[in-house]
């Protein structure tokens, strides 16, 4: 065994190590991950700068003139006069971006080690990763245990050992959802009992249970021994409840900024898609709750995604059984009124092209077009008929 292989002996955190090996394969190697993470940082910085630029560096009064000039309306000196809510939003964004940069550097260092492991131990080059499926990589990983003692407690590794390590945290979450341990069902005014499990809520739950400094689990997988002692449970539960209260208050303070960021990001991300394909707004997707409730234990991401894709069409047909006649009537009539107004505006712009540059006319045409498309999609979807015995 070479000296280079000795450094892979007895990996302390096999959960993290195997997870990075799996992510390395699923994301097509080091450079694809590096470029993607770097562009995510650039994208975040661009959105923040773009919002600050539109808020402080544009004189919108000059754009309202009869002969507007974009160059005359831009005032770069506005960057030195940032104040109030925009300044606070920019400061929070800079701190978050700095944390993302630190995480990017840390992940780059870790995945550069995984790149060496693929090359030196698994004998897989960077260019060959996209041509191999996970089962082939996994078989090489199992064989490497005979030469490089990755796991100290077992002489031989199996597929189940690797899956258990990779999916340990996900298995905990799936079990907590199925056993109704995690809060995902809430009583809403007028709406009654509804399932609500957003990405932000799940991120907070993961921080509370697995990754936070006061989490019951150590290193995201091992339960703190104190929680196994019955006489300490009430004390630990009260302490954890106090920390959850602190975290909830912190979330409440950040709520306006999180909402604004989510709104701006989704607006920038989906604006072109919605304009080109308005029916995108009516596309059904698997909820985060369903992605945990329907998941099997030790089911890796690529296997689970493939199963959900196969189930999408029959699930969509099943949901179409439950139509809402009232919603069909409302969508049909809203689409009628919006279409009539849209027809008039389009006809007027064909007669007089200068109306395209009039105030609010392009915006009205865009909004009405999206409204007609969404209502038409709702009407066609809700009026489809499927026979239950054919599903």
């Amino acid at each position: 065994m070479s000296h280079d292989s000795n450094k892979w002996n007895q990996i302390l955190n096999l959960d993290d190590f195997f997870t990075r090996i799996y992510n390395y394969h699923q994301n097509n190697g080091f450079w694809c991950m590096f470029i993607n993470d770097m562009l995510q940082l650039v994208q975040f910085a661009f959105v923040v700068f773009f919002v600050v630029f539109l808020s402080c560096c544009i004189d919108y009064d000059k754009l309202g003139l009869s002969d507007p000039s974009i160059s005359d309306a831009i005032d770069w000196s506005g960057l030195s006069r940032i104040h109030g809510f925009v300044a606070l939003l920019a400061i929070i964004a800079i701190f978050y971006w700095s944390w993302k940069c630190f995480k990017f550097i840390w992940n780059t260092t870790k995945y550069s080690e995984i790149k060496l492991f693929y090359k030196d131990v698994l004998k897989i080059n960077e260019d060959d990763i996209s041509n191999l499926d996970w089962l082939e990589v996994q078989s090489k990983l199992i064989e490497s245990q005979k030469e490089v003692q990755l796991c100290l407690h077992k002489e031989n590794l199996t597929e189940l050992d690797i899956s258990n390590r990779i999916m340990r945290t996900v298995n905990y979450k799936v079990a907590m959802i199925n056993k109704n341990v995690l809060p995902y069902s809430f009583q809403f005014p007028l709406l009654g009992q509804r399932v609500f499990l957003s990405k932000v809520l799940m991120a907070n739950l993961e921080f509370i249970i697995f990754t936070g400094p006061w989490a019951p689990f150590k290193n995201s997988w091992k339960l703190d021994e104190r929680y196994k002692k019955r006489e300490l449970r009430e004390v630990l539960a009260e302490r954890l409840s106090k920390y959850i209260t602190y975290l909830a208050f912190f979330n409440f303070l950040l709520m306006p900024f999180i909402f604004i960021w989510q709104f701006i990001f989704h607006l920038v991300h989906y604006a072109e898609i919605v304009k080109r394909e308005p029916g995108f707004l009516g596309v059904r997707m698997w909820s985060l709750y369903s992605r945990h409730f329907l998941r099997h234990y030790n089911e890796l991401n690529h296997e689970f995604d493939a199963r959900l894709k196969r189930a999408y069409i029959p699930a969509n047909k099943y949901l179409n059984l439950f139509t809402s006649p009232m919603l069909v009537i409302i969508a049909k009539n809203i689409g009628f009124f919006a279409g009539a107004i849209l027809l008039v505006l389009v006809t007027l712009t064909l007669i007089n092209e200068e109306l395209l540059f009039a105030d609010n006319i392009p915006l009205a045409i865009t909004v009405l077009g999206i409204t007609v498309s969404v209502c038409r999609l709702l009407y066609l979807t809700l009026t489809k008929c499927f026979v239950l015995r054919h599903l």
Side-chain angles (χ1 to χ4, degrees):
M1 184 163 49
S2 65
H3 174 72
D4 292 337
S5 299
N6 290 334
K7 65 180 181 180
W8 305 113
N9 288 344
Q10 302 178 11
I11 301 296
L12 296 179
N13 191 345
L14 278 176
D15 286 37
D16 179 72
F17 186 72
F18 286 160
T19 301
R20 290 186 183 275
I21 289 176
Y22 175 74
N23 292 334
Y24 189 90
H25 171 265
Q26 293 297 303
N27 292 285
N28 301 307
F30 176 80
W31 288 110
C32 288
M33 299 178 69
F34 178 84
I35 296 298
N36 180 68
D37 292 345
M38 184 179 65
L39 290 179
Q40 290 292 325
L41 289 173
V42 174
Q43 185 183 94
F44 181 85
F46 168 77
V47 172
V48 173
F49 173 78
F50 194 55
V51 171
V52 173
F53 172 77
L54 292 177
S55 303
C56 303
C57 300
I58 299 292
D59 188 349
Y60 293 96
D61 294 333
K62 293 182 179 180
L63 291 178
L65 299 176
S66 58
D67 188 15
S69 174
I70 296 179
S71 59
D72 294 337
I74 296 177
D75 182 15
W76 290 104
S77 63
L79 291 175
S80 61
R81 300 190 299 270
I82 300 177
H83 62 278
F85 186 78
V86 177
L88 183 60
L89 185 64
I91 292 173
I92 295 176
I94 290 173
F95 276 108
Y96 180 74
W97 188 80
S98 301
W99 175 76
K100 295 284 287 185
C101 285
F102 174 78
K103 188 177 179 181
F104 167 71
I105 296 172
W106 174 262
N107 285 332
T108 301
T109 304
K110 288 295 183 179
Y111 281 110
S112 63
E113 297 176 357
I114 300 299
K115 180 181 179 182
L116 292 176
F117 181 81
Y118 265 80
K119 181 181 178 181
D120 297 339
V121 180
L122 300 183
K123 308 300 180 183
I124 300 176
N125 294 323
E126 184 84 6
D127 298 334
D128 298 331
I129 291 179
S130 58
N131 299 324
L132 298 174
D133 61 22
W134 170 245
L135 293 179
E136 295 176 275
V137 176
Q138 185 175 245
S139 63
K140 290 179 178 290
L141 186 60
I142 293 173
E143 289 296 322
S144 68
Q145 171 71 6
K146 300 177 182 178
E147 300 178 1
V148 182
Q149 196 70 21
L150 297 173
C151 182
L152 178 64
H153 306 290
K154 297 190 66 175
E155 183 177 352
N156 297 315
L157 286 176
T158 64
E159 292 86 351
L160 182 59
D161 295 328
I162 297 174
S163 297
N164 279 335
R165 295 282 186 174
I166 296 174
M167 300 299 298
R168 191 193 299 270
T169 303
V170 177
N171 286 341
Y172 281 137
K173 292 190 292 183
V174 170
M176 290 178 181
I177 289 290
N178 289 324
K179 297 296 183 180
N180 298 324
V181 175
L182 291 181
Y184 60 83
S185 182
F186 304 92
Q187 186 74 26
F188 291 94
L190 302 179
L191 299 178
Q193 197 78 11
R194 289 291 185 271
V195 172
F196 176 79
L197 187 63
S198 65
K199 292 182 179 179
V200 176
L201 177 58
M202 179 56 73
N204 278 276
L205 292 174
E206 291 175 355
F207 181 80
I208 293 169
I209 300 172
F210 298 109
T211 61
W214 307 287
F217 287 87
K218 293 182 177 180
N219 299 322
S220 300
W221 59 271
K222 184 180 180 181
L223 184 64
D224 192 336
E225 294 295 331
R226 293 176 299 174
Y227 283 86
K228 298 179 181 180
K229 298 178 180 179
R230 185 178 298 274
E231 63 272 12
L232 297 178
R233 288 183 181 177
E234 291 188 7
V235 177
L236 293 173
E238 291 179 2
R239 191 187 69 163
L240 186 61
S241 176
K242 181 175 65 175
Y243 293 139
I244 291 174
T245 304
Y246 293 155
L247 184 62
F249 181 72
F250 182 70
N251 275 265
F252 179 77
L253 294 179
L254 292 180
M255 181 176 60
F257 306 101
I258 296 175
F259 173 78
I260 291 174
W261 165 250
Q262 293 286 345
F263 176 77
I264 294 174
F265 178 80
H266 286 87
L267 182 65
V268 173
H269 187 72
Y270 294 111
E272 191 274 336
I273 300 177
V274 172
K275 183 178 180 181
R276 178 167 38 90
E277 300 178 10
F280 173 79
L281 294 174
V283 175
R284 288 174 174 147
M285 294 185 295
W286 297 101
S287 66
L288 187 59
Y289 168 74
S290 66
R291 295 184 68 89
H292 285 82
F293 185 78
L294 299 175
R295 191 161 192 162
H296 299 318
Y297 294 114
N298 288 337
E299 189 174 21
L300 296 173
N301 290 338
H302 69 282
E303 299 170 335
F304 183 55
D305 290 338
R307 188 161 65 88
L308 288 185
K309 289 178 181 178
R310 294 194 300 268
Y312 182 82
I313 293 178
N316 210 25
K317 289 182 178 180
Y318 176 75
L319 288 177
N320 286 334
L321 290 172
F322 306 96
T323 61
S324 175
M326 183 62 68
L327 188 58
V328 171
I329 296 172
I330 294 174
K332 186 176 180 180
N333 284 272
I334 291 178
F336 172 79
F337 294 125
I341 300 173
L342 179 63
L343 176 63
V344 173
L345 292 179
V346 171
T347 304
L348 291 176
T349 55
L350 292 176
I351 297 174
N352 185 2
E353 295 181 356
E354 294 183 357
L355 289 176
L356 286 173
F357 304 98
D359 292 340
N360 300 325
I361 294 296
L363 176 62
I365 292 176
T366 302
V367 172
L368 289 171
I370 293 175
T371 303
V372 171
S373 299
V374 172
C375 290
R376 182 174 180 273
L377 179 67
L378 284 173
Y379 175 74
L380 292 177
T381 302
L382 295 173
T383 53
K384 287 182 180 179
C385 181
F386 295 98
V387 180
L388 186 59
R389 65 175 180 272
H390 292 165
L391 295 179

